[in-house]
Amino acid sequence: MQVRCLGPMVIETGRREVVVRSSLRARVLVALVVNAGDLVSRECLVDEVWPSDPPAGAMGSLHAHVSRLRRDLARWGVGDRIDVAAEQGGYRLRMTGIGLDVEEYEGLAATAHRRRRTAASEVPELARAALRLWRGEPFEGLDLGLRGHLARARLQESRMALFEALVDTALTSGRHQEVVAELRELTMVFPFREKFHEQLMVALYRCGRQVEAVQAFHGHRERISRELGLEPSPALRRRMTEILRHDPALWQAG
């Protein structure tokens, strides 16, 4: 059994998959899941469910939504494994024999980052295992409250940082040819993540494709100028200068 959040929120019961749909009690569930095991105050949950204009009697309404959530969990066949426990001041989510893909991802990602310093050859397998857990945007399709939005943003940032670490490891170990195609895709999916553009420029240069490296820089520059009214960072402009000068530092980048 597993709760999967790295994409549409799905509860796998062993016999079926239940896709969690947008509702006020789904906001409660997300807030509890992203703080699994920790007490979440009633005040925080009220803010999660009604971020701008809580109704009169919000605490009573929150209790009603929690009761409906418990009935949902029982109907889905996991009521004995996922418990929304009322405690002094709030609610705590307890899961027994239920995996959480976010916890699995974060464990693998943290290990991958640590291995960069001690056993870099293990990073690709760890990082790719973590990234394979993603099925889309975290909590995709759900109308989230503040905690849900913060969790989504934190996970998305973590994912991009893991991609960066994976590519840096490849560049450091001289596997620049292997990552060019993936970097092309990353710069299209995350067009304003400047690190991916820098990594692509370095990888192309090391492959003997200096013209394409220069084109990658100018393509990025034109896009952010047109869409954001910005210029590339000083760091990226320095990397461009290094490419034009065939600077030996490009072979140490990564």
Side-chain angles (χ1 to χ4, degrees), residues 86-147:
E87 298 185 16
Q88 183 68 35
Y91 295 92
R92 190 188 307 269
L93 188 72
R94 296 194 179 99
M95 298 195 295
T96 304
I98 298 280
L100 182 59
D101 65 348
V102 170
E103 290 184 348
E104 184 181 358
Y105 162 77
E106 291 182 327
L108 288 167
T111 304
H113 285 298
R114 288 196 302 270
R115 291 290 193 275
R116 290 183 68 186
R117 298 187 294 272
T118 59
S121 62
E122 298 177 15
V123 171
E125 183 177 354
L126 288 163
R128 298 222 180 265
L131 294 167
R132 280 195 296 270
L133 295 170
W134 285 69
R135 299 168 293 113
E137 182 181 71
F139 309 107
E140 189 171 301
L142 290 182
D143 179 22
L144 301 175
L146 176 61
R147 286 183 175 233

Side-chain angles (χ1 to χ4, degrees), residues 205 238-239 241-252:
Y205 178 83
R238 283 195 299 272
R239 192 66 81 195
T241 301
E242 290 171 355
I243 288 171
L244 294 174
R245 294 177 176 175
H246 298 279
D247 195 314
L250 290 163
W251 292 94
Q252 279 77 52

Side-chain angles (χ1 to χ4, degrees), residues 187-244:
T187 57
M188 288 188 288
V189 176
F190 306 107
F192 305 124
R193 187 77 172 189
E194 196 168 76
K195 178 69 172 179
F196 293 144
H197 293 276
E198 178 187 357
Q199 291 173 322
L200 175 60
M201 290 160 58
V202 171
L204 286 169
Y205 178 83
R206 290 187 184 179
C207 290
R209 297 157 66 178
Q210 183 187 20
V211 171
E212 291 177 67
V214 172
Q215 289 173 337
F217 172 83
H218 286 296
H220 172 62
R221 182 177 189 174
E222 289 171 7
R223 179 163 188 171
I224 63 172
S225 175
R226 180 178 67 252
E227 298 187 22
L228 303 177
L230 297 175
E231 284 290 314
S233 70
L236 194 66
R237 294 200 299 271
R238 283 195 299 272
R239 192 66 81 195
M240 175 64 168
T241 301
E242 290 171 355
I243 288 171
L244 294 174

Side-chain angles (χ1 to χ4, degrees), residues 11-88:
I11 298 177
E12 296 180 347
T13 68
R15 290 177 293 180
R16 62 172 176 155
E17 291 187 353
V18 177
V19 179
V20 178
R21 307 295 183 187
S22 278
S23 65
L24 295 183
R25 60 187 179 276
R27 287 189 177 187
V28 175
L29 178 59
V30 169
L32 292 171
V33 165
V34 300
N35 295 278
D38 296 331
L39 183 69
V40 183
S41 72
R42 289 180 174 84
E43 290 77 13
C44 284
L45 289 174
V46 165
D47 289 341
E48 193 74 6
V49 177
W50 302 283
S52 58
D53 188 21
M59 288 297 179
S61 295
L62 173 65
H63 178 72
H65 285 301
V66 170
S67 296
R68 293 189 190 104
L69 175 58
R70 290 189 181 115
R71 289 198 294 271
D72 285 342
L73 294 170
R75 179 165 51 85
W76 297 336
V78 293
D80 58 335
R81 302 291 189 96
I82 303 178
D83 176 39
V84 182
E87 298 185 16
Q88 183 68 35

